[in-house]
Amino acid sequence: MKLSQVKYIVEGALLTAHEPLQLNDLKKLFEVHECPAAATLEKALMELTAEKASRPVFLQQVASGYRYQLQPDLMSRVQQLSESRRPNHSQAFMETLALIAYRQPITRGEIEQMRGVTTVDHIMRTLLANEWVRIMGRKEVVGYPALYGTTKKFLDDFNLKDLAHLPPLPAMPTIDEMMNTNLYGDSA
Amino acid sequence: MKLSQVKYIVEGALLTAHEPLQLNDLKKLFEVHECPAAATLEKALMELTAEKASRPVFLQQVASGYRYQLQPDLMSRVQQLSESRRPNHSQAFMETLALIAYRQPITRGEIEQMRGVTTVDHIMRTLLANEWVRIMGRKEVVGYPALYGTTKKFLDDFNLKDLAHLPPLPAMPTIDEMMNTNLYGDSA
Amino acid sequence: MNAHHDTNTSDAVPSVPAVINGAPLDELPTDLYIPPQALRVFLQQFEGPLDLLLYLVRKRSIDILLVDIVQVTEQYVAYVNMMEQLAWDNVANYLLIAATLIEIRSRALLPPPIEDTPVDELSPEEDLLRRLRAYLPFREVVKDLDALPQIGRDTCMVSIPFAQAARPPTIAVHDLSTALNNFIARNEAEQHYFIAPEKITTESKVQYIVSRVHTKRKVALIDLLEAREGRMGLVTVFIAMMELVKRTIISLVQQKPYAPIYLRDISSKR
């Protein structure tokens, strides 16, 4: 595989990853037969790092691996924008966060199974990026899926002392209540 | 402000946004005195869109704005890194979605009448949980059944700018075509 | 059957609809006998009754408007009967189409009605054809819709985290519990909302009709129908009745057009 192609793949993965990636992670991007040598991967990373100057994001090596981050001179502008935008958290987003908060530790598969949806990718990304959610460990089952839980920042941002202070879940509604509750927010 | 600098700022904001950004959002990146004209912003977006070819991510306009997204040829590799499974939708699921998309607003009964099959609950549930479909109102007939339609998120998730960009619906076949044409790729 | 379907992406009806013991089953057996397991695999390829009907009609190149409808009907009803033995959820939908086919068949066998049918009213076969034709474009467009690059499947959004973003909380903590509650309630509601109807089988209706006809000799069709069983009950009684006529256990009597239809026991005369 040509270096340019290795760079293309590695850059794509790093730009869309929600946590820093290590060399070992990057190797998983390739089939066994096409996997580049460690030296090639490092060369690709070096070249991607060097592209820094004129681009708004740059590759940075941190303790837990490589990640792209925003140029510092753009930080205040972008922050200003994100604060002005009232993030329109979707129902899916709220439900996912609620499931993690009340049912932690929970795997992504469990969330998907409960919600019946497989496309929570961007939601998990946002939750991890917000640092409201973190990986707490791995579940001891096939595939060792990550177990997600809420962070201290989540507690801070929601003005909670600890998880015990989450509002209690009202008792399960009776069937009658369920039939009459306005579940979809429509004008039933 | 030079076009190159506008591009640099806009690209940085779009690469770090959690949701697609609209022109109005992008304007907030600039101080009042330096804010570029709408035409300049649009030119910047156009040029950024054109850079697509050799880059692993590219700028795409969808219903709720502009966003950077991964080249599809990299998706399966990137999925190796996360635990996300590739969602595969059944023909029944997609037919239901297609009927809602092309015939909205439509009731569940009308969908069932068209497909000749009772809509399975979990299909509607997944469509609603995915936020691809929402209840738009009630039909003014006995029982006031819910009228379903597609959401902006459906357009976003399918990379569509608006409903007019849906793939064209094939014309209703004549009886002759139905009997004789190779509609299904089978050899009937 | 949709439950089976949803675990895999089914394409349009493939040219080889099923593989049984390694051998492709690409023709409908002419004698209509398929081992039940094979039939199950075969029928799983179809999205529903319209799909199956379309397949039968096309494979046989049968003009649905002509008398050949008999052949398709028989085949269709045979499949539906087998399906019922396999206890599928979706049988009611198939039965409804079967009833329509039977109606078409019975009309084909009867002399044309004396009064002309109103022009703006479609005959059952025309209506069925119209439904098949209206359904096809949607069946087809799925390919194109599914080919669109989808977020989460073919692509994902780039959103590089930028740290130090001390965003003020924009969600009240109360919203969280509300979200989870709505979620739980919605799931529960949908799980309990649908009250499964009693299973009505052709066989049970056959026995019911036989017992009624046996004791009373002559029973009005209208007395066999129960409103609470709805469409499904109606269709099942109809099929059971046709079955009993075929087995020459009962005969149908009608004094004049639009008069009540009676079922008469003819088995005891033999």
Side-chain angles (χ1 to χ4, degrees):
Chain A
M1 193 177 273
K2 278 195 294 191
L3 182 64
S4 64
Q5 212 184 335
V6 174
K7 276 172 68 180
Y8 171 81
I9 294 169
V10 167
E11 186 185 353
L14 285 164
L15 281 170
T16 51
H18 30 69
E19 24 180 15
L21 298 179
Q22 295 177 327
L23 270 188
N24 268 340
D25 298 319
L26 295 174
K27 283 188 187 150
K28 289 187 209 146
L29 293 165
F30 302 90
E31 304 285 330
V32 181
H33 69 273
E34 57 174 22
C35 191
T40 316
L41 266 181
E42 274 165 30
K43 183 141 199 284
L45 287 165
M46 224 180 60
E47 291 200 19
L48 288 171
T49 310
E51 280 170 10
K52 157 171 188 171
S54 61
R55 307 266 335 269
V57 296
F58 63 99
L59 188 59
Q60 171 84 37
Q61 188 176 8
V62 294
S64 46
Y66 291 86
R67 72 165 179 223
Y68 270 97
Q69 51 190 60
L70 192 65
Q71 294 282 10
D73 65 328
L74 283 175
M75 201 69 97
S76 65
R77 287 178 191 269
V78 169
Q79 212 162 316
Q80 190 182 319
L81 168 64
S82 78
E83 272 161 27
S84 75
R85 276 173 69 79
R86 181 164 293 276
N88 180 20
H89 291 305
S90 63
Q91 175 191 317
F93 180 91
M94 291 300 295
E95 283 177 10
T96 307
L97 179 57
L99 276 170
I100 295 173
Y102 284 90
R103 298 273 187 269
Q104 60 186 305
I106 188 170
T107 69
R108 189 167 159 151
E110 287 160 353
I111 298 170
E112 287 173 357
Q113 199 185 345
M114 292 188 72
R115 298 202 57 247
V117 189
T118 44
T119 46
V120 292
D121 208 48
H122 67 285
I123 294 177
M124 290 308 294
R125 202 186 304 275
T126 309
L127 286 170
L128 288 160
N130 271 351
E131 291 175 70
W132 281 345
V133 161
R134 68 187 175 92
I135 295 175
M136 307 175 77
R138 300 272 163 185
K139 188 160 184 170
E140 291 287 326
V141 296
V142 182
Y144 297 99
L147 285 164
Y148 294 92
T150 52
T151 60
K152 190 156 177 306
K153 183 164 184 296
F154 164 78
L155 294 175
D156 291 347
D157 285 356
F158 282 81
N159 286 305
L160 293 166
K161 255 208 299 217
D162 50 50
L163 285 174
H165 284 78
L166 274 175
L169 287 176
M172 289 286 264
T174 65
I175 292 191
D176 221 43
E177 281 165 353
M178 267 187 286
M179 294 304 195
N180 299 320
T181 318
N182 195 351
L183 294 174
Y184 294 114
D186 61 299
S187 52
Chain B
M1 194 178 273
K2 276 194 298 188
L3 182 65
S4 64
Q5 212 185 335
V6 174
K7 276 172 68 179
Y8 171 81
I9 295 169
V10 167
E11 187 184 351
L14 285 166
L15 282 169
T16 48
H18 301 313
E19 297 170 286
L21 298 178
Q22 292 174 332
L23 271 186
N24 268 341
D25 299 318
L26 294 173
K27 283 189 187 148
K28 294 183 190 134
L29 290 164
F30 303 90
E31 301 292 328
V32 181
H33 67 275
E34 58 173 20
C35 190
T40 316
L41 266 181
E42 272 166 33
K43 183 138 198 286
L45 286 166
M46 223 181 61
E47 290 196 9
L48 289 172
T49 307
E51 281 170 11
K52 158 172 189 168
S54 60
R55 308 263 340 265
V57 298
F58 63 97
L59 188 59
Q60 169 88 27
Q61 188 181 6
V62 294
S64 42
Y66 291 86
R67 72 174 176 222
Y68 270 98
Q69 61 188 47
L70 190 68
Q71 295 278 10
D73 65 328
L74 283 174
M75 190 62 181
S76 64
R77 289 180 188 270
V78 166
Q79 275 172 337
Q80 299 288 314
L81 295 182
S82 65
E83 286 141 19
S84 53
R85 277 164 290 135
R86 191 186 148 92
N88 258 340
H89 301 300
S90 67
Q91 175 81 14
F93 180 92
M94 291 302 289
E95 277 181 17
T96 308
L97 179 59
L99 275 162
I100 296 173
Y102 288 91
R103 287 284 179 265
Q104 56 188 304
I106 187 171
T107 69
R108 192 162 159 162
E110 287 161 353
I111 297 170
E112 292 176 351
Q113 165 70 18
M114 289 290 292
R115 295 194 58 237
V117 188
T118 313
T119 306
V120 199
D121 274 337
H122 74 91
I123 290 183
M124 286 315 287
R125 184 157 59 222
T126 305
L127 285 170
L128 287 161
N130 262 347
E131 289 174 80
W132 283 350
V133 159
R134 69 190 175 92
I135 294 174
M136 305 175 80
R138 299 272 161 183
K139 190 160 182 169
E140 291 285 326
V141 296
V142 182
Y144 295 99
L147 285 164
Y148 296 95
T150 53
T151 61
K152 210 174 200 185
K153 184 161 183 295
F154 159 74
L155 295 173
D156 284 351
D157 285 0
F158 280 78
N159 276 281
L160 294 166
K161 255 201 290 205
D162 48 50
L163 284 173
H165 283 78
L166 277 173
L169 190 68
M172 191 154 121
T174 63
I175 294 179
D176 208 46
E177 281 165 354
M178 183 168 81
M179 296 301 188
N180 302 316
T181 325
N182 194 358
L183 290 169
Y184 295 138
D186 65 337
S187 50
Chain C
M1 80 183 248
N2 285 286
H4 294 283
H5 253 289
D6 276 2
T7 53
N8 52 46
T9 326
S10 52
D11 289 317
V13 174
S15 52
V16 178
V19 176
I20 309 302
N21 296 330
L25 175 66
D26 56 356
E27 276 296 318
L28 293 178
T30 45
D31 61 0
L32 276 184
Y33 179 74
I34 312 180
Q37 277 316 307
L39 180 72
R40 183 172 197 138
V41 175
F42 181 81
L43 286 172
Q44 271 172 23
Q45 307 299 318
F46 297 98
E47 285 305 320
L50 289 179
D51 221 25
L52 171 60
L53 184 62
L54 191 69
Y55 182 82
L56 290 177
V57 161
R58 284 165 48 83
K59 269 288 179 208
R60 298 272 157 183
S61 293
I62 282 167
D63 188 341
I64 199 171
L65 293 171
L66 297 180
V67 188
D68 281 351
I69 189 74
V70 172
Q71 203 184 342
V72 179
T73 312
E74 276 170 0
Q75 220 166 44
Y76 195 94
V77 173
Y79 281 140
V80 171
N81 277 336
M82 292 183 103
M83 231 183 289
E84 197 172 52
Q85 288 159 27
L86 296 171
W88 279 9
D89 322 331
N90 227 342
V91 171
N93 297 307
Y94 285 87
L95 287 178
L96 190 67
I97 296 286
T100 312
L101 285 170
I102 291 166
E103 191 188 345
I104 295 171
R105 173 185 176 172
S106 59
R107 284 198 187 206
L109 297 175
L110 288 170
I114 304 141
E115 301 157 77
D116 284 341
T117 43
V119 201
D120 56 341
E121 204 172 284
L122 290 179
S123 70
E125 56 265 51
E126 279 165 346
D127 186 55
L128 199 57
L129 276 180
R130 189 196 52 77
R131 283 184 65 189
L132 281 177
R133 288 169 56 218
Y135 163 67
L136 266 179
F138 292 97
R139 195 191 196 294
E140 286 297 283
V141 83
V142 161
K143 272 202 310 283
D144 301 328
L145 206 55
D146 209 39
L148 293 172
Q150 264 174 57
I151 281 281
R153 189 188 69 178
D154 308 300
T155 182
C156 60
M157 183 169 164
V158 178
S159 118
I160 298 163
F162 60 100
Q164 306 112 316
R167 277 208 251 180
T170 47
I171 307 170
V173 71
H174 169 74
D175 295 343
L176 265 190
S177 55
T178 311
L180 190 61
N181 263 303
N182 281 350
F183 164 71
I184 292 168
R186 192 179 71 226
N187 268 0
E188 294 292 319
E190 282 180 23
Q191 273 160 23
H192 292 133
Y193 187 72
F194 184 72
I195 295 154
E198 262 180 272
K199 270 258 185 270
I200 307 169
T201 62
T202 309
E203 203 39 53
S204 69
K205 283 293 174 199
V206 163
Q207 279 161 17
Y208 173 67
I209 295 174
V210 167
S211 71
R212 288 286 300 271
V213 168
H214 218 71
T215 49
K216 287 192 68 182
R217 278 303 164 95
K218 191 171 144 191
V219 180
L221 171 59
I222 194 82
D223 293 337
L224 293 171
L225 304 175
E226 297 202 41
R228 63 176 176 86
E229 290 177 350
R231 204 160 74 169
M232 169 100 178
L234 185 83
V235 170
T236 319
V237 166
F238 206 82
I239 290 183
M241 197 173 75
M242 297 300 278
E243 177 66 31
L244 287 170
V245 172
K246 200 177 89 186
R247 291 193 211 157
T248 61
I249 294 172
I250 60 167
S251 69
L252 302 179
V253 186
Q254 189 181 31
Q255 298 298 344
K256 57 177 196 264
Y258 304 113
I261 295 173
Y262 289 94
L263 287 74
R264 195 158 43 185
D265 183 4
I266 51 173
S267 59
S268 47
K269 285 188 190 153
R270 282 184 303 187

